[in-house]
Amino acid sequence: MKVAIVYDCLFPWRIGGAERWYRSLAEELSRRGHDVVYLTRREWDEAPSLSFAVVGVSGRRADEIYTQSGRRKILPTLKFGFGVWRYLRAHRDVDVVHAGSFPFFSIFGIRASRFGRGRPPLVVDVVEVWPAAYWRSYAGRVVGTLGWLIERTALLLADRRFTFTRRQAEMLRHDVAVLPGLFDGAVADHVDAPSRDAAVLFVGRLITEKGAHLVPPAIEVARRAIPDLRCVVIGDGPERARLESAIAARGLEASIELRGFVDDDQLAASLRSAACLLLPSSREGYGLIVVEAAALGTPTLTLHHDQNAAATLIEPGVNGWLVEDERAETWAAAIVEAVRSAADMKLTAWEWGKRKAEEASVARSADVIVNAYDACLRRR
């Protein structure tokens, strides 16, 4: 069958859990013999050569989809929705459309492109579930309420809906199935004993919700107990200047290294050697990095927060710990415990990661998804 995957970002031109998921899903469906076209924004200088077709329906390399504060801009999402509508109007051979729920204007573009019995079934992944209160805190009372209403309306247009955690499914008042997971990374064949100078690691886009600003004060306090403690930060974004200032203000330039984004091999090497991963995020749709870290033998410290789905992946004392608040002292105490127990925790995290990597693989999720495609087509 011909499947159109619709998401406005493509890995590695954009880096994130959703970007990794849709790239991996497109590759898996292509391996199974399906004809896959990935509709996205143009963010490359030369057309990508991949195992599936890629079509840039809007945007250009120089465009930015985020504001200085890390919020999504509205105009690029409207342009993307229009580009999706225009492509699907012109290409009637698409059998199934599979889209992310955000940015939701693409959902309206998909549905407006075709009416009646001939329209292709629409499968939607709800990667993140934002309650109305969170929408208002993110975009303001008026715009946030409108965003919440538009998003929930968009979900009504889908023929099948998926999410990645049971808690997210329970938050939605729709018929939603939970996918096994989205892991397609490396699994270590053994776990290395941590070295004496093993650093703690932060990985993520530098935006407020990811919590990188909590790292410098936590490291400053933790160094009172572990004077030679080091931290490596992998990622970039609008919060970088704030992070650099916080590091300089505490005199931690020699203790906290900012590496920016790195390639997959460098990321895997950093994860494998780290004493623990710091994930002080207040918003995660799934928390793929928790599984990736554990599969390489590294436990995770993450924030216990309602919007942080990564917290649901933590088995305390097995593959990491839940940190109850954002105070530097609380995080420092957790870091000290993680570093001092790294020898035992890296082993239990690795054992958990091996099991989870198989249970939560992209291949298993693709099995569920292809069955849903077939069911939708039969019903049509």
Side-chain angles (χ1 to χ4, degrees):
M1 72 182 78
K2 183 168 185 178
V3 182
I5 292 181
V6 178
Y7 190 63
D8 69 341
C9 298
L10 174 62
F11 182 86
W13 288 269
R14 293 282 174 176
I15 297 176
E19 290 83 349
R20 291 285 297 271
W21 160 241
Y22 287 113
R23 167 75 179 262
S24 298
L25 178 62
E27 290 173 338
E28 179 65 23
L29 293 176
S30 180
R31 274 195 295 269
R32 297 182 183 207
H34 299 289
D35 183 7
V36 179
V37 57
Y38 193 118
L39 306 183
T40 188
R41 296 178 64 258
R42 287 183 292 270
E43 297 203 89
W44 48 82
D45 296 318
E46 296 183 9
S49 178
L50 301 171
S51 63
F52 51 90
V54 178
V55 178
V57 298
S58 71
R60 56 184 178 178
R61 176 73 170 156
D63 289 345
E64 184 48 70
I65 61 174
Y66 292 99
T67 66
Q68 286 296 319
S69 63
R71 303 292 193 259
R72 278 286 198 129
K73 293 181 179 179
I74 294 177
L75 184 58
T77 67
L78 288 169
K79 290 180 177 179
F80 179 64
F82 176 75
V84 170
W85 171 82
R86 184 169 52 191
Y87 178 90
L88 292 176
R89 285 284 294 174
H91 296 80
R92 299 278 175 162
D93 58 341
V94 172
D95 296 306
V96 177
V97 181
H98 191 139
S101 62
F102 189 87
F104 37 70
F105 291 118
S106 59
I107 305 297
F108 294 102
I110 293 164
R111 274 304 185 224
S113 68
R114 202 95 55 87
F115 297 96
R117 292 174 57 86
R119 72 181 187 183
L122 172 59
V123 176
V124 171
D125 300 324
V126 188
V127 179
E128 295 186 47
V129 180
W130 293 8
Y134 187 84
W135 263 108
R136 287 192 286 269
S137 70
Y138 181 85
R141 184 176 182 85
V142 175
V143 176
T145 300
L146 182 61
W148 179 79
L149 289 171
I150 292 174
E151 182 179 46
R152 294 308 169 101
T153 301
L155 291 181
L156 293 173
L157 301 177
D159 295 293
R160 289 295 298 272
R161 306 166 194 87
F162 291 110
T163 189
F164 292 100
T165 71
R166 192 163 303 281
R167 184 170 69 177
Q168 290 173 331
E170 291 170 352
M171 292 172 65
L172 293 168
R173 296 182 179 180
H174 301 291
D175 180 21
V176 181
V178 180
L179 290 171
L182 45 88
F183 178 80
D184 68 343
V187 179
D189 56 3
H190 68 280
V191 62
D192 298 321
S195 62
R196 289 181 58 86
D197 63 345
V200 297
L201 184 67
F202 172 94
V203 178
R205 204 158 60 86
L206 302 184
I207 57 174
T208 302
E209 291 82 0
K210 295 291 185 180
H213 60 280
L214 302 178
V215 171
I219 295 298
E220 180 183 35
V221 176
R223 281 173 57 84
R224 298 170 190 167
I226 307 176
D228 59 348
L229 179 67
R230 297 183 305 110
C231 178
V232 173
V233 175
I234 292 178
D236 211 338
E239 288 280 291
R240 185 182 179 104
R242 178 185 178 187
L243 189 58
E244 290 174 335
S245 296
I247 291 169
R250 292 169 171 81
L252 294 174
E253 294 92 337
S255 303
I256 302 179
E257 177 187 354
L258 303 183
R259 289 188 184 168
F261 287 119
V262 300
D263 63 30
D264 286 350
D265 290 340
Q266 291 175 300
L267 175 59
S270 297
L271 283 170
R272 187 163 185 165
S273 64
C276 69
L277 173 71
L278 307 182
L279 186 61
S281 180
S282 61
R283 195 188 82 212
E284 292 287 338
Y286 177 71
L288 176 60
I289 192 67
V290 173
V291 186
E292 292 177 321
L296 296 172
T298 299
T300 297
L301 305 180
T302 195
L303 184 64
H304 195 188
H305 191 282
D306 288 344
Q307 288 299 117
N308 180 18
T312 66
L313 295 171
I314 298 297
E315 293 184 24
V318 176
N319 69 326
W321 296 266
L322 295 174
V323 183
E324 294 299 325
D325 58 59
E326 296 183 342
R327 293 182 303 147
E329 293 76 13
T330 308
W331 274 92
I335 290 169
V336 170
E337 180 183 359
V339 171
R340 288 177 172 171
S341 61
D344 294 330
M345 283 293 297
K346 284 181 77 69
L347 180 59
T348 60
W350 176 58
E351 291 171 343
W352 179 93
K354 286 192 297 180
R355 294 193 303 271
K356 191 66 175 178
E358 182 178 351
E359 296 169 2
S361 68
V362 168
R364 287 201 171 191
S365 289
D367 289 340
V368 176
I369 286 167
V370 170
N371 287 337
Y373 294 167
D374 289 338
C376 288
L377 289 170
R378 287 195 302 270
R379 189 162 56 247
R380 187 185 66 176

